[in-house]
Amino acid sequence: MARRLPAAVLISGSGTNLQAFIDAVAAGELDLELVLVLSNRADAYGLERAAAAGIPTSVVAHRDYPDRPAFDDALDAELERHRAELVLLAGFMRILTPGFVRRYAGRLLNIHPSLLPRYPGLDTHARVLAAGDAWHGSTVHFVTGELDGGPRIIQGRVPVGPGDDPDTLAARVLAVEHRIYPRAAALCAAGRLTLEDGCCRLDGAPLDEPLQFQPEN
Ligand code: GRF
């Protein structure tokens, strides 16, 4: 059997995106070896999902470290120990240092709940509603030094309805995240996606606009 790309998933909470990876691997749709689930919080429910799936887990609590570089060194040590080559941030609520980001450049992905470049940062669902946008969604992107600003890989779009509140919108966005993040990871696993000179390439060609995914209702 061909070697599968060893991947770590970094979480801070519920881990539904982690579950989407676990399910996609089990379904034979994602050719990754999930070698580690790492959380900065010991109470993250995603750790239980990982354990149930037989994936090694690790807690690196940011409060145990004096500063960000020391915390990131500890993360790095865990990733090295488990020989992770791809790092998937999935609801990981810590900002990584430039050194860490550089070290994992092209191998570090994040998912953000908005149609980037719109709404980087927090509270995206409330901000979309306040702006009266007709569409919302989520973006998988390479992580670079700019917060939520790295080259975009794939976006999932969902409509915003008149009766939506931040919770209904969050649930709709989360459902589309579970469709797009395994797709992006699968492209990495197949070696089809690269980051070169700050530009995302798919099969060697620049991906000027992210791939688009829109669920059928
Ligand atoms: C997702 O909405 C993701 O976009 C954001 O954090 C949330 C994680 O959810 N970065 P889960 O822990 O995967 O359920």
Side-chain angles (χ1 to χ4, degrees):
M1 199 170 105
R3 172 187 179 274
R4 292 197 290 168
L5 185 69
V9 184
L10 271 52
I11 62 166
S12 298
S14 163
T16 64
N17 280 288
L18 163 66
Q19 190 67 53
F21 291 135
I22 293 171
D23 294 345
V25 169
E29 293 162 1
L30 177 55
D31 233 356
L32 288 181
E33 186 189 357
L34 296 172
V35 293
L36 174 67
V37 171
L38 186 151
S39 173
N40 64 310
R41 298 178 53 113
D43 61 355
Y45 180 66
L47 291 169
E48 292 181 38
R49 298 180 189 273
I55 303 166
T57 60
S58 174
V59 175
V60 179
H62 56 277
R63 293 189 202 293
D64 292 346
Y65 297 87
D67 52 27
R68 283 187 198 278
F71 173 65
D72 283 8
D73 284 349
L75 291 185
D76 196 17
E78 278 302 282
L79 294 170
E80 284 277 320
R81 192 162 75 82
H82 291 270
R83 305 196 185 291
E85 293 177 27
L86 176 69
V87 179
L88 302 163
L89 305 181
F92 185 66
M93 300 302 286
R94 304 301 300 169
I95 293 173
L96 298 162
T97 54
F100 184 97
V101 169
R102 265 197 307 276
R103 181 165 163 72
Y104 285 92
R107 305 186 288 140
L108 182 59
L109 270 57
N110 183 43
I111 188 160
H112 178 79
S114 79
L115 296 173
L116 291 171
R118 288 176 75 74
Y119 311 114
L122 298 174
D123 298 324
T124 58
H125 311 306
R127 288 157 69 199
V128 162
L129 288 169
D133 292 356
W135 291 91
H136 186 26
S138 184
T139 307
V140 180
H141 63 96
F142 280 115
V143 177
T144 61
E146 197 188 334
L147 181 68
D148 301 325
R152 299 164 302 160
I153 298 165
I154 185 169
Q155 289 187 319
R157 287 162 62 86
V158 297
V160 181
D164 272 323
D165 60 32
D167 290 339
T168 58
L169 211 43
R172 197 172 306 130
V173 168
L174 207 48
V176 85
E177 294 193 331
H178 303 157
R179 311 289 297 277
I180 61 173
Y181 211 177
R183 280 174 161 75
L187 292 174
C188 289
R192 298 178 57 191
L193 208 54
T194 53
L195 182 67
E196 285 166 46
D197 300 327
C199 167
C200 177
R201 287 177 179 266
L202 177 62
D203 298 328
L207 193 63
D208 294 327
E209 288 300 320
L211 303 171
Q212 296 292 328
F213 176 81
Q214 197 173 308
E216 323 215 331
N217 353 297

